[in-house]
Amino acid sequence: MVSPYDRVCTLLEGKNRKKGKLPDKWELIGDVLILDTDDKEIAEAYAQVLGARSVIKQIFINGELREVRSVLVWGDSNTETLYKENRLLYKLDPSRIMLSSGNKDERIRISRVSDSQEVCLDMFAGIGYFSLPLALRSKRVFAIEKNPFVFRYLLENIKLNGLDNLIPILGDCRDVSLPCRVDRVMMGYLHSYQFLDTALSSIKDEGVIHYHSLCRTGDTETPVKELEEKASQHGFSFKPLLKREVKSYGPKMSHIVVDGLFRKRICRLYL
Ligand SMILES: C[S@@+](CC[C@H](N)C(=O)[O-])C[C@H]1O[C@@H](n2cnc3c(N)ncnc32)[C@H](O)[C@@H]1O
């Protein structure tokens, strides 16, 4: 079978574009293509082959709120799109908001981890990347997002998927007080160590935390140690249930997730 890349090469052959000079990686989100090129003709060829309506080049993803800046290289300047994955629809504007295709397997895994008795918390909800899959099986999911622009899409995505057990909250997860403690916490943010105190204050006497972090490839011990240390400070025992690499993150670095089970230690008083 001819690959999309080879089809693009064939399309551009007559135009003196050499194979090897064309981008061999891209992300297609709905009908918006993220491609590392400034060349309109190249962008158009990829759009034709991959069925994209717009082609954008991401300039940077920045800061605490992971804000995206992009330029339109080719096509429709309305870059809002619909992306379908695992029976769920996500509306977003990839020129302003990130959606990592490398996290797809993790999003699918998370759609299966909870049950109808569980109340969950997503501390970094974004447009609902993990909140929507979690809500498929859970009793209730609280989804906190700090960025008002992203929060608008979270609201729309809840409606689009008819998930009335998903409760969106605009704010900083450290400042939000929930009406109850939860069984499960999602920490889908790569710098989540500083938020562990909040996560541990939110869980019931027994709960699971999905802890994401950026580590040297192969080093799952660092996040495990971080969880152990925080568990002990908060009077919990800790057991790692799963450690996995979500995706590679540049040379020698990996996006790791550790699922941890936390149980409140019973303190007996002998009088
Ligand atoms: C990296 S994105 C989530 C990426 C996503 N998990 C994926 O699969 O692509 C993290 C989100 O957390 C939000 N955020 C960052 N700090 C926050 C805070 N203190 N409280 C609530 N939301 C926060 C950001 O605005 C952003 O939308």
Side-chain angles (χ1 to χ4, degrees):
M1 216 177 87
V2 186
S3 71
Y5 179 72
D6 285 331
R7 284 166 57 205
V8 169
C9 293
T10 311
L11 259 182
L12 292 170
E13 225 163 40
K15 294 179 178 142
N16 215 10
R17 310 261 184 211
K18 285 209 179 84
K19 192 172 176 173
K21 291 207 166 158
L22 299 171
D24 57 358
K25 286 192 196 108
W26 56 83
E27 292 228 31
L28 184 64
I29 300 176
D31 55 5
V32 174
L33 181 68
I34 304 169
L35 192 69
D36 189 13
T37 186
D38 296 306
D39 187 310
K40 258 187 164 189
E41 231 178 320
I42 292 179
E44 187 175 3
Y46 277 84
Q48 204 176 317
V49 167
L50 296 165
R53 181 173 49 88
S54 310
V55 180
I56 57 171
K57 178 179 175 179
Q58 283 187 343
I59 308 296
F60 61 82
I61 297 177
N62 219 1
E64 182 201 12
L65 301 183
R66 312 297 293 139
E67 283 168 312
V68 177
R69 290 284 168 272
S70 310
V71 286
L72 179 78
V73 187
W74 178 88
D76 192 344
S77 61
N78 173 9
T79 46
E80 191 170 76
T81 190
L82 273 177
Y83 168 72
K84 192 169 184 185
E85 180 184 284
N86 191 23
R87 295 178 287 136
L88 290 164
L89 272 176
Y90 298 83
K91 189 186 239 189
L92 76 156
D93 181 346
S95 75
R96 304 272 310 267
I97 296 173
M98 65 175 290
L99 183 132
S100 171
S101 60
N103 295 0
K104 182 178 174 185
D105 290 349
E106 187 59 16
R107 289 191 289 268
I108 293 175
R109 184 177 82 85
I110 288 301
S111 70
R112 303 185 183 127
V113 290
S114 64
D115 63 44
S116 59
Q117 307 296 310
E118 282 196 13
V119 178
C120 306
L121 163 64
D122 185 352
M123 291 173 66
F124 309 97
I127 60 160
Y129 320 92
F130 290 118
S131 314
L132 302 179
L134 256 184
L136 288 175
R137 290 198 182 179
S138 310
K139 181 177 176 188
R140 195 175 315 142
V141 177
F142 297 105
I144 308 176
E145 172 53 47
K146 190 173 177 178
N147 182 337
F149 179 75
V150 175
F151 186 74
R152 270 186 20 220
Y153 284 100
L154 174 64
L155 295 179
E156 274 216 48
N157 289 331
I158 293 172
K159 260 201 215 145
L160 259 178
N161 293 280
L163 293 165
D164 53 12
N165 58 341
L166 213 171
I167 296 135
I169 302 167
L170 176 64
D172 188 309
C173 57
R174 289 166 293 198
D175 304 331
V176 171
S177 61
L178 298 178
C180 60
R181 288 183 188 259
V182 301
D183 301 282
R184 187 178 292 279
V185 179
M186 189 71 227
M187 301 182 80
Y189 181 54
L190 287 181
H191 313 281
S192 42
Y193 176 73
Q194 51 180 316
F195 298 91
L196 271 174
D197 293 309
T198 306
L200 284 161
S201 309
S202 311
I203 53 171
K204 295 178 179 170
D205 286 350
E206 181 173 316
V208 172
I209 296 180
H210 301 276
Y211 180 58
H212 289 242
S213 60
L214 191 58
C215 301
R216 291 185 77 80
T217 301
D219 171 23
T220 52
E221 282 320 297
T222 302
V224 167
K225 278 201 186 116
E226 290 170 351
L227 290 170
E228 260 163 12
E229 178 197 307
K230 284 291 177 189
S232 134
Q233 284 172 14
H234 285 258
F236 283 99
S237 69
F238 161 72
K239 186 174 145 196
L241 299 174
L242 173 141
K243 306 175 241 180
R244 72 177 284 262
E245 182 184 75
V246 175
K247 61 180 184 289
S248 147
Y249 206 91
K252 298 189 185 160
M253 296 302 281
S254 293
H255 171 174
I256 302 280
V257 62
V258 177
D259 292 359
L261 175 66
F262 296 81
R263 283 205 183 101
K264 204 80 188 171
R265 289 188 199 281
I266 297 166
C267 176
R268 288 197 178 84
L269 283 178
Y270 296 99
L271 299 172

